[in-house]
Amino acid sequence: MKILILGAGGIGGYFGAQLLRSGADVTFLLRDKRQALIASEGLRIETPHGNFTVQPPTVTAASVTPIYDLIILAPKSYDLDDALASLENARGKAVVLPFLNGIEHLAALDRKFGRAAVMGGVAHIAATITDSGAVRQLNDIHSLTVGPRDPAHVELAKEFIALCGKAPFDSVYAENIEQALWDKWVFLAALAGMTTLCRGSVGEILATPYGEGLIRQMYDECCAVARLSGYPTGEAATARALGMLIAPGSPFTASMLRDLLAGQRTEYQHILGAMAERGIALGLPMDLMRLAHTHLAVQAGRG
């Protein structure tokens, strides 16, 4: 299987480098500046358990050719249009596998490529790009969940998960990948909404008199949206989410907070705004989610 990964950021860079080390045929599609850096210094990965560097094959939008079986998309949601533009010469017969937050990107990709060419994927990792250009994994969480959205995807999805099984990260094949996408969105919207609104970690929020109740309320708001949309959050997903959202003393935050504090652009519209809009359309008040979204909209306006 020939794999093209668009970008070498926290998701694409980390998982792509691990796949490359395990023997997978991986090429990165990069902007000129990122390509020059990786050609000079390699793709450097920093993890809690040690660092490593790979020297991956790379192409640019101008040089890529349509020779791939699978194209992995992992840009920030606000960069999706630019990412798709860079794929004009790349797609050919390839199936697209997006690892983006939220759910709205699937409709956009289906419109462009057709549902039969778009798989579903969920990435769980806390990672960032350092000032020197390395990809830094911030904790031990690193997993990919992949599944078909069309019968044509089944064998390719299973083949990809088999490749992932040779790499040192967790991987899961999901029969209902859209449920997995909703489960992550519900969790992430609650986490990002609360940690950006309070500008603090889960542990700091829980240490206040009303923190746990507000976290639960925001999570319940998101669960209600999922339920009314036909993707009710199951007991196991709820237990996993609350295990992280109400862990006393936890330093856990959303990457959206890190981006906010660094003065960088955030995915607030794609994660919080889209959740609020869906909830309102379903007749839900979405009080906390609207407040969290408004806070970040104000901050974005100041930028």
Side-chain angles (χ1 to χ4, degrees):
M1 179 192 296
K2 295 184 72 64
I3 301 170
L4 180 69
I5 300 179
L6 192 150
I11 294 175
Y14 176 82
F15 290 108
Q18 295 285 21
L19 284 167
L20 195 63
R21 282 211 305 172
S22 69
D25 185 348
V26 174
T27 299
F28 287 89
L29 173 59
L30 305 173
R31 293 190 174 100
D32 291 343
K33 184 177 179 181
R34 184 72 165 152
Q35 184 188 46
L37 178 65
I38 289 175
S40 172
E41 302 181 11
L43 176 53
R44 291 168 290 125
I45 309 296
E46 301 175 359
T47 84
H49 305 289
N51 306 333
F52 66 92
T53 301
V54 296
Q55 196 70 52
T58 66
V59 292
T60 65
S63 65
V64 67
T65 55
I67 60 173
Y68 302 97
D69 303 298
L70 185 68
I71 297 175
I72 293 176
L73 289 178
K76 292 288 191 179
S77 297
Y78 49 73
D79 280 334
L80 180 58
D81 288 344
D82 286 345
L84 294 179
S86 71
L87 292 179
E88 288 300 323
N89 299 322
R91 215 203 112 227
K93 65 176 183 176
V95 170
V96 176
L97 174 56
F99 291 105
L100 280 79
N101 291 318
I103 201 84
E104 306 296 318
H105 61 280
L106 291 180
L109 292 170
D110 287 352
R111 285 193 298 270
K112 185 170 181 64
F113 300 122
R115 185 183 176 93
V118 183
M119 276 204 288
V122 177
H124 286 97
I125 186 170
T128 189
I129 304 295
T130 68
D131 291 342
S132 67
V135 176
R136 177 174 295 162
Q137 181 191 9
L138 301 177
N139 57 36
D140 287 336
I141 298 172
H142 54 170
S143 71
L144 295 180
T145 302
V146 173
R149 299 177 59 242
D150 185 276
H153 304 157
V154 172
E155 293 307 315
L156 185 64
K158 290 181 177 178
E159 184 181 350
F160 178 70
I161 287 296
L163 280 177
C164 292
K166 300 176 183 179
F169 58 80
D170 301 322
S171 55
V172 178
Y173 175 84
E175 295 286 354
N176 189 346
I177 189 61
E178 293 192 13
Q179 181 67 59
L181 279 157
W182 269 94
D183 290 347
K184 181 184 178 182
W185 188 19
V186 164
F187 163 74
L188 182 59
L191 175 69
M194 283 302 299
T195 58
T196 56
L197 193 56
C198 299
R199 297 199 178 210
S201 67
V202 165
E204 290 171 324
I205 295 169
L206 290 170
T208 68
Y210 311 116
E212 180 175 342
L214 289 168
I215 290 175
R216 288 181 179 273
Q217 182 180 340
M218 186 171 279
Y219 182 69
D220 288 346
E221 280 187 3
C222 298
C223 286
V225 178
R227 183 178 68 255
L228 293 177
S229 299
Y231 295 93
T233 312
E235 291 183 5
T238 297
R240 286 194 301 271
L242 291 179
M244 290 184 277
L245 289 172
I246 57 171
S250 170
F252 200 35
T253 66
S255 61
M256 195 182 297
L257 176 62
R258 295 192 293 275
D259 291 341
L260 175 66
L261 295 178
Q264 298 173 353
R265 192 175 179 185
T266 73
E267 294 180 299
Y268 79 96
Q269 180 56 42
H270 304 85
I271 297 173
L272 308 184
M275 182 67 76
E277 289 166 8
R278 279 183 176 255
I280 291 166
L282 290 165
L284 300 171
M286 304 303 292
D287 291 338
L288 286 181
M289 191 56 61
R290 288 189 295 115
L291 179 60
H293 176 265
T294 300
H295 169 239
L296 286 175
V298 170
Q299 303 308 307
R302 290 175 177 173

